[in-house]
Amino acid sequence: MIAAVFGVPMAGFSGYLVSLQFTVRASVSGRLCAGLISLIGLIGAVSFLSYALQRFQVGVDRDGWMVRIGRYRRDLRWAEISAVVIENRERGGRRVVPSLYLVPAPRVSLDVPSGLRATVDGRPAVRLFDLDEPKIEDRQFVRDLAGLAGDRLEVRVHRLHVMLPSEDARQRLIPAFPPGAEGVRTQRWLNRRRFLLFVGWYLFAVVPALLLTGFTARLHELLGAAVAVLGLLAVVAAYAQFVTLFSDAAGLVDIEVEIAGTELVRVVGDRTFRDDMHGGTVVVLPPGAKRGYGRAWLLGVPHVVALLGDPRTGRLRHHDDLRALSAVLRESPHETDRAAARDIDSLALQSQVGDSTEPEGAENARLWISLTKAGRILPWAVVVGSVLLTGGWMLESTHYLGDAVLLICGVPLAAMWALYTLYRILELLGAAWQAAWQAVRKNH
């Protein structure tokens, strides 16, 4: 649907340019230029329309797989498949996403088109789709697939592996919290507070430091240089102390944690953190015990590793997740951990049954978050502009300090702001494209 919306206007615009070749008098070079633009537009329109009209259907049952992707049509029996693999792949050069692959049995040819062709452990395979593309629930999908594929299924993505049926009751995934639309509201709540702190930092740290540097430089350039250095240190220290106050809580909203035996495992980007829940260091922190976490109860080892409640509303996690944590802590040889288990058990008694919103209520959450992060370009532009204005102001009254402020602070800040702007715009475009891709897949 989205691709068709782009493709039809492009086709119409290309047709308009072609019509100009016959209705408007122009030079030969002008006609050639219009013809070239028309050709490019037509090629783009054909690409968008062909993508919008291609079919996407993948089905699996006890008999095997049915694959209908574009012009590729194939039905595969389970006897023809040696492995079903879920592993990460890089998409867009930077983002890593889990993808689903089918590996055929020896001497079985899939005749895969180049767009779907892949290799898994040196074996030819077909890449069906990335797991963030269709509208599926990861937990149920992996469990259903395990029931059909049996020993053929290989899950090589850490957070998905723990969703497989396991005889170990202490292997459990604790989902990100709050879920769905509630998580988006919490992120919005945290971002608003971070923005207010940013405004306060700018008004009460950046502006006074710049003004004081400018006025003292008029009295004596060396004094102005000393004030500039001290002001820079104060501005950086104030930013680290106040503006980042809610950053840790915002990061924990998006993080899933896994109970693996006696360890609590967190995956942040490409890094995996493991904390021992039988080490005698686990604590349960009430709201207000740590700044920057709002009304949330916290799990610490002793640094905070998980939210037990919503920072915005104080609503507790689902009681099953809380009891899964306390069950492991209860078996610890250390009294500190067992005391934390009792605290979590008391929270589980207060926890609501179920969630007030489903995860599907925030299917465009990533796009919204990217949009709000792109909005940070504007306040940072004000900071960079203020530094450049101060340096230009001091050029009139100083011999060297004005140039130093511009070259040492202003120009590097402007360059970093330009790179930051490009990064945020590309991230926003990527999120928009991903939302459009999912919309197209959902309509097929």
Side-chain angles (χ1 to χ4, degrees):
M1 181 66 182
I2 303 297
V5 169
F6 281 101
V8 172
M10 289 179 65
F13 179 68
S14 301
Y16 170 72
L17 291 177
V18 171
S19 68
L20 290 181
Q21 301 286 326
F22 305 100
T23 59
V24 179
R25 292 182 180 180
S27 63
V28 174
S29 61
R31 290 179 180 274
L32 289 175
C33 182
L36 179 61
I37 295 175
S38 302
L39 180 61
I40 295 174
L42 284 171
I43 294 174
V46 170
S47 300
F48 273 105
L49 290 173
S50 62
Y51 170 76
L53 297 175
Q54 75 174 358
R55 188 178 183 185
F56 180 87
Q57 184 179 4
V58 176
V60 58
D61 55 26
R62 296 195 177 278
D63 295 325
W65 289 78
M66 178 192 66
V67 181
R68 306 285 187 269
I69 302 178
R71 297 182 178 178
Y72 184 62
R73 304 283 191 273
R74 190 65 189 263
D75 293 326
L76 289 167
R77 297 281 183 177
W78 281 112
E80 300 176 282
I81 299 172
S82 65
V84 180
V85 180
I86 298 177
E87 67 178 10
N88 284 328
R89 77 175 185 97
E90 286 190 4
R91 188 173 69 194
R94 183 175 58 86
R95 190 173 173 225
V96 176
V97 295
S99 296
L100 180 64
Y101 299 86
L102 290 184
V103 180
R107 295 183 296 278
V108 174
S109 176
L110 296 180
D111 299 323
V112 184
S114 59
L116 303 177
R117 196 173 301 156
T119 57
V120 175
D121 299 334
R123 299 173 291 175
V126 54
R127 181 177 62 83
L128 297 181
F129 52 81
D130 296 332
L131 265 62
D132 64 340
E133 291 175 358
K135 188 178 179 180
I136 59 175
E137 202 280 315
D138 287 347
R139 182 189 300 268
Q140 192 61 42
F141 173 75
V142 172
R143 288 182 175 271
D144 291 345
L145 190 57
L148 294 171
D151 294 338
R152 294 182 181 88
L153 181 61
E154 301 177 23
V155 181
R156 303 175 182 179
V157 179
H158 185 76
R159 68 178 183 84
L160 298 178
H161 180 75
V162 299
M163 297 177 183
L164 293 172
S166 173
E167 295 180 358
D168 186 358
R170 294 186 302 176
Q171 181 174 329
R172 180 186 175 94
L173 186 71
I174 307 296
F177 184 83
E182 286 298 317
V184 176
R185 295 188 187 102
T186 298
Q187 286 284 13
R188 186 186 297 121
W189 183 84
L190 292 169
N191 286 337
R192 280 199 292 262
R193 275 145 185 77
R194 292 180 65 185
F195 179 73
L196 291 175
L197 290 173
F198 184 92
V199 172
W201 169 75
Y202 173 75
L203 293 177
F204 298 107
V206 176
V207 172
L210 294 176
L211 291 176
L212 191 59
T213 299
F215 283 121
T216 54
R218 287 178 174 270
L219 300 176
H220 194 282
E221 191 164 358
L222 187 59
L223 178 61
V227 171
V229 173
L230 293 176
L232 178 62
L233 295 175
V235 165
V236 173
Y239 185 90
Q241 183 70 23
F242 298 106
V243 182
T244 60
L245 186 61
F246 293 96
S247 299
D248 292 336
L252 289 178
V253 170
D254 294 328
I255 291 179
E256 297 174 332
V257 295
E258 174 206 342
I259 298 174
T262 63
E263 289 186 324
L264 197 67
V265 182
R266 295 171 293 141
V267 179
V268 182
D270 296 331
R271 303 178 64 186
T272 301
F273 299 91
R274 297 178 177 273
D275 298 292
D276 187 7
M277 291 195 291
H278 285 188
T281 59
V282 179
V283 292
V284 175
L285 302 173
K290 286 274 189 181
R291 293 192 307 163
Y293 292 93
R295 302 176 183 178
W297 285 82
L298 307 171
L299 181 68
V301 290
H303 56 279
V304 179
V305 294
L307 298 175
L308 301 180
D310 187 342
R312 180 177 65 93
T313 64
R315 185 171 68 94
L316 295 169
R317 278 185 177 272
H318 193 280
H319 56 78
D320 288 342
D321 295 333
L322 294 174
R323 288 196 177 109
L325 290 168
S326 66
V328 178
L329 292 169
R330 204 178 301 122
E331 298 176 2
S332 173
H334 301 282
E335 176 57 29
T336 303
D337 299 334
R338 294 195 295 271
R342 291 191 291 271
D343 292 337
I344 294 177
D345 284 332
S346 67
L347 294 178
L349 294 176
Q350 307 169 36
S351 177
Q352 298 176 3
V353 178
D355 295 318
S356 60
T357 56
E358 294 296 327
E360 289 79 3
E363 58 189 14
N364 293 323
R366 183 170 176 269
L367 177 60
W368 183 90
I369 293 295
S370 297
L371 182 62
T372 58
K373 289 181 178 179
R376 298 175 189 175
I377 295 171
L378 298 179
W380 275 112
V382 174
V383 174
V384 174
S386 300
V387 174
L388 293 175
L389 286 174
T390 303
W393 172 41
M394 288 192 295
L395 285 176
E396 303 175 357
S397 57
T398 60
H399 295 289
Y400 304 106
L401 186 58
D403 293 327
V405 170
L406 287 174
L407 293 176
I408 296 176
C409 295
V411 174
L413 279 176
M416 287 188 291
W417 177 83
L419 293 174
Y420 179 76
T421 300
L422 180 62
Y423 167 71
R424 286 302 182 197
I425 291 176
L426 291 176
E427 185 183 60
L428 178 60
L429 292 176
W433 172 255
Q434 184 67 21
W437 175 273
Q438 291 182 358
V440 171
R441 292 298 194 192
K442 194 188 305 180
N443 292 332
H444 277 69

